[in-house]
Amino acid sequence: MNRLSIGILVVLLLAQLVSCIEEIPFASGKGFGTLVISGGINNLEEDQKVFLSRTVENGGPPRPEAHALVKLVESTGRSWDFIETSEGQYTLFAGTADTEFGASYHIECTLEGGVRYQSLPEKLFPAVQPDSTGWQIGKETTRIEDGYSHSIDAFQLFIHTGFAADQPETYLRWTVQSAFQFTTLPECSPFRTTVTCYFSELLNPGRFYIRSNKDQAGGVLRNHPIGYESMEPFYRYSETHYFTIYQHRISQRAYEYYSRLNQVAVQNGSIFDPIPASVKGNVYRVDREDEKVLGYFQVSSIAVVRMKVVQADLAGKYNLLDKRYNLCGLYFGYPDAGYFEGCCNCYSIKFPLIDKPDWW
Amino acid sequence: MLVVFAGYQHFLFGQGPVQTGITRTFSGIPIPEVLDTLASGYGLKIYYLPSENIPRDLFTGSFNNQTADEAIRTVLSKSSLQVIAVSDRIFFLTSALGREGVNMNRYLSTKAKLENEYLPGGLVLGHPDSMPIQGPARILGWIRNSRDETPVEGAVVQIGDADAVTDSAGKFTILTLPGTYSLRVISDRFSEFNQNLKVFGDDHLELNLFESTVDLPELVVGANARQKLQEATSGLSQLSVKEIQRLPSLMGEADVVKALTTLPGVSTTGEVGSGYHVRGGNTDQNLVLQDGVAYLNTSHVLGLFSSFNADAINNVSLYKGHIPARFGGRISSVLDIQLKDPDMKAWNFQGGLGPISSKVYLEGPVVKDKTSMLAGLRFSYSDWILRWLRDPNLKNSQADFYDFSVKVNHRFKPGHVLSLSTYASKDLFNYADQFGYGWQTLSFSAQWYLDLKPGMSLHASAGRSSNRNHFTETDQDKTEYRIGTGLGFNNAKARLAWQISPSQFFQAGAEWTGYTPDDENYRVKPASDAATNEYYPKTRGREAAAYIQLESRISPKLNISIGYRHSLYWQAGPARIRMYSPGQPRTEESVTGTKDYAKGSGIKTYQGFEPRLSLAYSTGPQSSIKLSYNKMNQYIHLISNTAVATPVDIWQLSNQHIAPQRGNNYSLGFFKNLKDHRWETSLEFYFRNSRNELEYKDFARLLRNEFLETEIFAVKGRSYGAELFIKKAVGDFRGYLSYTLNRSLRKSEGLYPDEVINHGAFYASNFDKPHAINALFDWQIRKTFSWSARFVFNSGRPQTAPVAEFYLGDGGHFFDYSERNEFRIPVYHRLDLSVTVTRGNIRTRKYKASWTFSIYNAYNRRNAFSVFYRRNVNEPPVAYKLSVLGAILPSVTYNFRF
C-alpha cells in the first residue's frame, strides 16, 4: 500500500482534463564517477557474480571498473576470490564456495589504486518455498510516449506464498527469467528442415518485486504480482514458453534498499511523490565511510519454481496470430517489405539466445 | 443634586433665576451647604473635582448685594481652594492654579457656549454634564444598511477634521473635542449622509445608510489608506469579499487562498497542493481562523479550490508581519477570516452556477431585529466529466466535495450578541474501486460578545473542530487496505478589550486548547474474511496561553503596539514513550526501553515566551516607517515528506522527542502614499530565524509508525526577503504591482549521518522561490461592465534531481540523485483575464445578476507543477514536466441574488 498509486491517479485524471506531460531538456553536468558495487551470492549451484562500475552521465554508456580484487568473506573467516571474467564483472564459479545457511557473508573489493571497499555482512537464511503461481493477461502501464503513460497487454505473473509462522519478519524478492522457443517454418528450407531457437531474458529489470510479512495480513501472500511480460511480439507465445521464478529470501536491509530504489524509479511528478534521494546500499569505503558508494551486495537464499505456458493455454484469453498464416505468412506474400525474418531464420530474432536448457 | 459624569462631579443648582447680587446671612453652616445654598438660590454652577477636599468648616457671615464671585471667595477664604470664575454664574474650584486651571477655564467657556448654541436639526452627542474637562470626547458608533441592518464596512465617518473607517462590524471610534461640527458619512454603496452635530462628551451613535447609485470610492479608499499608514501593525493585508470576487478566477470560483497568493510574500507550491506559504514559512506555520476557529485544511480537490465559501465571508485579514498577542500557535502568519453577520431585516438569496460546482447562499432574520442566520453550501458534480472520459477506470471513478456553513446570531441588545456557527466540508475521490482518498472537517463554535461599558467589551468563545483523512487501496484479490488519521481539538478563549483613553487601547485574554488526535488506523479487509485493524497511537497534548497587549499613540507621530503572550504546552497520556541510548541517533537499534504513561498524566511540558512589538512612526502626512518583532511558538506540526503538502498528511503534536518550533520574526517597512493617498507604495524587509523545524531522513517511513522520532529530526530555518508594493486604489482603473524577493533556507545540525543534509550547509526549502512578481489591474469601464487582468511570475521551486545514472548487475538502470533541492523546476508565469457584465442598473432591480467570463492561463503557458525523470527500457532517461493546468481554461459563471 503506498501513495504512489494515488499520485498516478491524480496524474491520470488531470491528464484527461487539462494537464499535460512533456519532455524538457535536462543536463545536470555533475555526479559522474561514483563507485557502484552490485551483485550477490545465493544458495544455488550456479556462478555468483559481482559488478563494479562508475556512475555515468544520464544515458551514457556503462563504465565498468576493471582490475579490482574481489573476495567473498564468510563470518567463520573462510574466503573465496572472484575472477574478473569481463571488464567490471567478477565471477565466483559454481562449486567454488560451499556457503552455509546461518553464516554471514560480505565482500571485500580492492581497486587498482589500493582503495578498499566492503559490504556489511548479511546472513544466509534458509529459503522460503512458494506454494503456487498464477497468471493472467491484463494491462500494464509501461512507458511514457508523447508525454502520456501508455498501457500494454501483458502476461502478468502472481505468486502464492505462506510465510513461516516461526519467522516473524521475512523479506522476499522475486525475479523472473522468461524463456521461449521459436521454430522456423519448413517452407523456408528446400529440405523442409526446421531449426528451433531458445531465448531467455530477465523480466522487468529496474523494477523490484518485494514483499514482507510485516505488511501482510494473515501470513499468506495470495496473488502477489511478481512481474509481467508484454504480449508483443506475438511469436514469443507461439510455441512453448517458460517462466522461471526465483523467490529470494533477503535481509531487511536489502528489502529497504530495493523498496527505496522502487520509490525513486517510479516518480511521476504528482503531488504524492516522495522527495527522492540517493539510495545508499550496504557497501562502504573502509578508510572513509562518508564517501558515497552506490549499489548493494545481496546475500540471499533462493527457491525456484518453473511455470510452463503453451499457446493453447491462452485460448479464449488472448487472440494470438496464427504462426503459419498470419505471423509468417507475410513473408511469403510480401517478400520485400514488412516480413518477419525470424520465420526462416530464428537466429535473427532480437532476443538473447540461449542453448536449450536441460530442464526444457 | 449631585451628578457624576466622566469622573467629575459638580453641584448643579442653576435652575433658579439668575440674580444680580447676593444678599444672605449664614450662621454656623457647613461650607458645602453654604455653596449649595448659593448655587440653588442664585442660579450658580459650581464645579470641582472629586479629589478636591471641600472643607466642612462652619461658615458664619453676611452678604449684602455682593457678586457671586465675591461671595464664593469669601466662603472659601480660609481654604486652599482657588476660585475660577468662568462667568458671573459659573465657577470652578481647584486647589491648583496654573495649567489645569486655565484648561478648566477654557473648558467651561466652551461648555457654556455649547449649551447655549442653537443648532437647527442637529444631533447632540453626550450630555453637557459628561463633557470631559481635558481631551476629546470618544464617539463610538455603528453604521448599518437601512435595508437589512447589516453592518456597513469601509464607510468613512467624518466629524469635523477627525475621521474613521468602519470595520467589518460597521463599528468606528472617533475622538474629537467638544464642539459643533458637520457629521459626514461616505460609503461607495450608500448615499452620503450629512448632519449638523453638537458634541458634548462620550456617546454612541448609530446610523442607517440608504443604498445609493452614487459611488464615492476615492474618499473611502483615501481614508483607508491613511488609517493603514498610521496603525502600528506592519505586514497586515486585508481583502474584502468584493476584492476577492473581482479577481479572475479558476472555473469561475472566487477563491480566498488564491486571492491571498496575489499579495506580496504569499505563495503556493503550484496549482495543486494544500495550503500556502507566507514569507518563506511552511504551510503548517500559518494559523487559519474562521470566526475564531482554527482550520487545518484549506483546500478542495488537492488544492485546486479553497474550502472557504466566499459568499459567507465578510473580510479576510492576513497578518504576516506583526502578529498581535491574541494570536499564537504558529510561527509564520495568521489568516483571520470573519464570516458575515447575517441580515436582521430581510431574507436574501444568492447563488452561482459553474461547470463543476455550484453554490447557494441565504441569510435573513429568524426573529426580526433579534435573531438572524446564514447558510452557505457549495457542492461539486464533477462525476459527469468523468463519465465522458474514455478510460474505463476513470469513467468508473468518483470525485466529490462539498462544504457547508451555518451561522446564527442572536442580539439581546446592542452590544450584546451570541453567535453560533458550524462548518463542514468533505472531499472524496475513488478511482475505479482500486484506490482513493478523502478528508473532512467538521467544526462548531459559540461566540459571545458583550459591551461592558463604553469602550470596554468582552468576547468569549468555545469551539470544537475535527479533521480526518484517509486513503485506501484495493489489491488484486479485493483485499482493501485503509489508513486513516485525524486530529480534533476543543478550544475556549476569552478576550477583554478596553479603550482606556483616546490614545490607549488595551487587550487581555486567555486561551485553552485540548488536542484529541485519532490514533492512526491501518485496516486490512480481505474480501472473504473479517477486517483486521491496527492502531498506532498519536501524541495527545494541551495548550494554554494568556496575553496582554497595549496599543498606544505615544505622540501624534508615534504609535506603538506592545504585547506579551505566554504559552504552555504539555504532552498528556496515555502514551508509550521510547527511550534511546544517549549519544546515538534515534533508530530502532538504539531503543533502550519504553515507559508507559496513564491517561491524563503529564509527560513533557514546554513553554513559550512570546513578546510582540510594533512601532509606526509618521514621517510625514503621507508616509511612515514601521518596525516589528514577534517571537512565536508552535506545538503542532504537519508531517509531510512530499515536496508539496497534501490534505492527507499527518498532523503531529510536540512530544518528548519532538520539540516545538520556535521563530523570531523581524520586519521593517517604509510606507509612502502619494496624491492624497490615492497611490500607496511600500517597501518591507523581513527576516525570520527559527529552530526545531522538522526535516525527514531520506525515505522516511511516516505511516504506520508510532515513533516518528526515528524518521524525523529538527533543523534550523532562515527566511528573509523584501516586498515592494505599488497600488492604485482609486479611480475606474485600479490595480497593484508587487515584487517579492524571498529566500527560505534550512540547515541541519545533526550529529549523525542520517541527520545531515547537504553536508550541514544551508539549503533551499521545498518552497523557496526567490523572485515573485504579481500584477493586478481592474478597469471599471462602465457601471455594468468591467474587466480585470492578473499576471503572476515566480521562480521555479527547488527540486532534487538525478545527476547521474548507474547500472546494477542484473540489468537495471537507476538514477543517482543530487543534494537536497539542488536544482529548480522552470519558472512559472501566467496571465488571467476576466470580464464581468451586469444587465441594466442593478441597483434599481430586486433581482440582481451578473455574468463573469474568465480565462485562466490566457496565453496557454504550460507551467511546470513538477519535473520528473523516467527511463523507458533501452532508451536514455528523459526529463518530463507535468503541467497540472497546462491549457487555457475559460469559464462562465452566472451569479444571482434576490
Side-chain angles (χ1 to χ4, degrees), chain A residues 125-137:
Chain A
F125 289 103
V128 176
Q129 197 67 32
D131 295 338
S132 61
T133 58
W135 62 271
Q136 70 174 23
I137 295 171

Side-chain angles (χ1 to χ4, degrees), chain A residues 1-3 5-14 16-34 36-39 51 53-63 136 141-147 149 156 158 173 175 202 205-208 211 214-217 222-223 225 252 257-258 260-280 292 294-296, chain B residues 272-274 302 304 385-386 389-391 394 397 399 429-431 435-437 471-473 475-477 479 481-483 522 524 526 528-529 532 534 641-650 698-699 701 703-704 753-754 766 800-818 820-823 826 862 865-873 875-887 889:
Chain A
M1 173 114 182
N2 61 65
R3 297 186 183 197
S5 52
I6 297 176
I8 293 168
L9 159 68
V10 175
V11 172
L12 290 173
L13 174 65
L14 293 174
Q16 296 274 346
L17 299 176
V18 293
S19 70
C20 59
I21 299 171
E22 58 188 356
E23 196 175 321
I24 58 171
F26 175 78
S28 70
K30 59 199 296 188
F32 320 139
T34 303
V36 183
I37 298 177
S38 63
F51 305 89
S53 62
R54 298 277 175 179
T55 56
V56 297
E57 186 177 7
N58 291 330
R63 192 178 143 196
Q136 70 174 23
T141 301
T142 57
R143 56 188 289 119
I144 293 179
E145 280 180 6
D146 303 326
S149 296
Q156 297 168 325
F158 304 97
R173 177 193 173 195
T175 53
L202 182 73
R207 183 166 170 182
F208 298 97
R211 190 72 173 185
K214 280 176 71 176
D215 302 321
Q216 186 59 40
R222 286 175 295 203
N223 289 322
Q252 180 182 359
Y257 176 76
Y258 298 128
R260 291 172 177 183
L261 277 182
N262 275 342
Q263 281 187 49
V264 296
V266 196
Q267 296 268 313
N268 54 39
S270 86
I271 188 174
F272 294 104
D273 273 0
I275 294 173
S278 276
V279 182
K280 292 169 190 159
K292 185 195 237 182
L294 299 172
Y296 201 92
Chain B
V272 294
S274 186
L302 294 176
L304 279 178
I385 294 180
L386 298 176
L389 303 178
R390 291 179 186 173
D391 187 312
L394 285 173
S397 297
F429 201 109
N430 285 314
Y431 178 71
F435 49 84
Y437 56 83
F471 61 96
T472 61
E473 188 171 303
D475 263 358
Q476 301 274 351
D477 62 354
T479 297
Y481 300 84
R482 183 184 191 277
I483 290 183
Y522 174 61
V524 182
S528 54
D529 302 330
T532 57
E534 294 174 12
N641 192 25
T642 50
V644 179
T646 76
V648 292
D649 288 331
I650 305 166
D698 289 341
F699 308 102
R701 193 170 69 86
L703 295 174
R704 300 175 60 203
D754 281 354
N766 293 338
T800 306
V803 289
E805 196 177 15
F806 63 94
Y807 304 81
L808 290 182
D810 54 9
H813 300 253
F814 300 91
F815 293 125
D816 181 29
Y817 280 83
S818 68
R820 182 81 58 95
N821 291 338
E822 193 177 347
F823 293 86
R862 292 183 171 182
F865 169 75
S866 62
V867 173
F868 62 102
Y869 306 85
R870 279 284 179 87
R871 180 186 182 118
N872 295 325
V873 177
E875 291 176 15
V878 174
Y880 295 98
K881 74 171 181 184
L882 167 65
S883 305
V884 172
L885 299 175
L889 276 172

Side-chain angles (χ1 to χ4, degrees), chain B residues 701-870:
Chain B
R701 193 170 69 86
L702 303 177
L703 295 174
R704 300 175 60 203
N705 186 350
E706 183 180 349
F707 305 102
L708 283 175
E709 65 268 18
T710 59
E711 306 293 327
I712 60 181
F713 56 97
V715 296
K716 278 188 170 180
R718 177 184 291 176
S719 304
Y720 58 88
E723 297 166 359
L724 180 63
F725 186 64
I726 302 168
K727 180 178 183 181
K728 182 179 185 294
V730 171
D732 291 334
F733 187 81
R734 308 181 198 184
Y736 63 75
L737 175 67
S738 72
Y739 166 74
T740 305
L741 169 69
N742 171 49
R743 294 310 311 270
S744 174
L745 307 174
R746 290 182 162 195
K747 185 176 191 288
S748 64
E749 297 183 321
L751 298 173
Y752 314 106
D754 281 354
E755 297 178 4
V756 176
I757 297 175
N758 295 7
H759 312 289
F762 274 106
Y763 62 95
S765 70
N766 293 338
F767 37 89
D768 175 54
K769 292 181 173 180
H771 305 285
I773 296 172
N774 276 293
L776 176 70
F777 303 102
D778 180 12
W779 190 12
Q780 186 82 35
I781 297 172
R782 292 196 302 271
K783 288 270 183 251
T784 56
F785 184 81
S786 67
W787 72 267
S788 61
R790 173 176 56 189
F791 175 74
V792 294
F793 169 95
N794 52 53
S795 308
R797 63 178 166 82
Q799 192 187 39
T800 306
V803 289
E805 196 177 15
F806 63 94
Y807 304 81
L808 290 182
D810 54 9
H813 300 253
F814 300 91
F815 293 125
D816 181 29
Y817 280 83
S818 68
E819 303 282 5
R820 182 81 58 95
N821 291 338
E822 193 177 347
F823 293 86
R824 288 184 183 279
I825 67 173
V827 297
Y828 182 104
H829 52 89
R830 193 189 77 233
L831 175 68
D832 308 326
L833 302 168
S834 83
V835 173
T836 300
V837 181
T838 55
R839 293 189 61 191
N841 185 348
I842 61 168
R843 296 185 191 283
T844 62
R845 297 163 65 98
K846 185 169 177 58
Y847 180 85
K848 299 171 183 178
S850 65
W851 289 93
T852 300
F853 304 88
S854 287
I855 299 177
Y856 191 90
N857 193 17
Y859 55 80
N860 195 25
R861 161 86 175 169
R862 292 183 171 182
N863 283 302
F865 169 75
S866 62
V867 173
F868 62 102
Y869 306 85
R870 279 284 179 87

Side-chain angles (χ1 to χ4, degrees), chain A residues 25-133:
Chain A
F26 175 78
S28 70
K30 59 199 296 188
F32 320 139
T34 303
L35 182 66
V36 183
I37 298 177
S38 63
I41 60 158
N42 57 55
N43 58 317
L44 300 181
E45 280 293 322
E46 60 182 24
D47 294 350
Q48 313 289 335
K49 290 181 179 168
V50 168
F51 305 89
L52 270 64
S53 62
R54 298 277 175 179
T55 56
V56 297
E57 186 177 7
N58 291 330
R63 192 178 143 196
E65 182 75 16
H67 313 307
L69 300 176
V70 180
K71 180 194 292 184
L72 177 69
V73 181
E74 193 181 57
S75 51
T76 59
R78 295 191 299 166
S79 66
W80 301 270
D81 290 332
F82 285 72
I83 307 298
E84 185 168 8
T85 47
S86 63
E87 197 175 29
Q89 177 178 304
Y90 302 83
T91 305
L92 187 64
F93 292 106
T96 307
D98 51 340
T99 53
E100 295 176 355
F101 291 129
S104 295
Y105 297 90
H106 72 271
I107 54 162
E108 294 177 0
C109 305
T110 306
L111 303 190
E112 199 172 14
V115 181
R116 291 178 58 226
Y117 297 84
Q118 71 180 50
S119 66
L120 294 169
E122 293 199 348
K123 202 169 183 177
L124 187 64
F125 289 103
V128 176
Q129 197 67 32
D131 295 338
S132 61
T133 58

Side-chain angles (χ1 to χ4, degrees), chain B residues 147-148 348-350 846-849 895-898:
Chain B
R147 182 175 57 81
D148 53 19
N348 300 303
F349 178 76
Q350 64 189 75
K846 185 169 177 58
Y847 180 85
K848 299 171 183 178
N895 291 303
F896 57 89
R897 176 178 177 168
F898 55 85

Side-chain angles (χ1 to χ4, degrees), chain B residues 374-579:
Chain B
L374 67 78
L377 170 68
R378 288 194 306 170
F379 53 97
S380 69
Y381 35 80
S382 50
D383 283 3
W384 68 270
I385 294 180
L386 298 176
R387 302 289 171 269
W388 278 12
L389 303 178
R390 291 179 186 173
D391 187 312
N393 287 328
L394 285 173
K395 198 185 283 277
N396 295 321
S397 297
Q398 173 196 9
D400 293 308
F401 74 81
Y402 71 78
D403 59 60
F404 180 57
S405 305
V406 176
K407 182 174 182 178
V408 178
N409 275 9
H410 178 73
R411 189 163 68 179
F412 298 98
K413 61 181 182 180
H416 188 182
V417 176
L418 177 66
S419 177
L420 304 172
S421 61
T422 184
Y423 171 84
S425 82
K426 188 170 186 176
D427 272 71
L428 193 63
F429 201 109
N430 285 314
Y431 178 71
D433 296 329
Q434 294 181 22
F435 49 84
Y437 56 83
W439 63 93
Q440 57 186 329
T441 300
L442 181 62
S443 70
F444 304 93
S445 75
Q447 304 196 58
W448 182 52
Y449 303 87
L450 178 63
D451 281 350
L452 300 173
K453 65 176 189 176
M456 182 181 283
S457 63
L458 178 69
H459 176 201
S461 67
R464 158 95 191 148
S465 178
S466 168
N467 305 271
R468 290 197 168 100
N469 63 54
H470 73 269
F471 61 96
T472 61
E473 188 171 303
T474 305
D475 263 358
Q476 301 274 351
D477 62 354
K478 301 297 179 190
T479 297
E480 182 191 88
Y481 300 84
R482 183 184 191 277
I483 290 183
T485 62
L487 178 65
F489 47 86
N490 302 307
N491 178 266
K493 47 191 167 185
R495 176 164 57 103
L496 179 75
W498 182 21
Q499 186 82 44
I500 299 171
S501 71
S503 60
Q504 290 184 316
F505 180 59
F506 175 80
Q507 293 181 86
E511 190 172 344
W512 178 89
T513 304
Y515 295 100
T516 55
D518 297 339
D519 291 340
E520 184 182 327
N521 172 222
Y522 174 61
R523 188 183 69 186
V524 182
K525 188 180 179 187
S528 54
D529 302 330
T532 57
N533 285 285
E534 294 174 12
Y535 289 93
Y536 299 85
K538 308 304 288 184
T539 303
R540 287 161 168 71
R542 291 160 195 159
E543 185 178 345
Y547 59 86
I548 53 172
Q549 175 138 350
L550 178 68
E551 292 164 31
S552 178
R553 175 178 288 268
I554 291 176
S555 75
K557 288 190 169 185
L558 181 62
N559 282 342
I560 183 171
S561 172
I562 185 167
Y564 177 73
R565 182 182 178 98
H566 194 96
S567 58
L568 189 66
Y569 171 87
W570 56 102
Q571 181 190 358
R576 170 168 292 178
I577 304 296
R578 270 184 176 177
M579 289 163 288

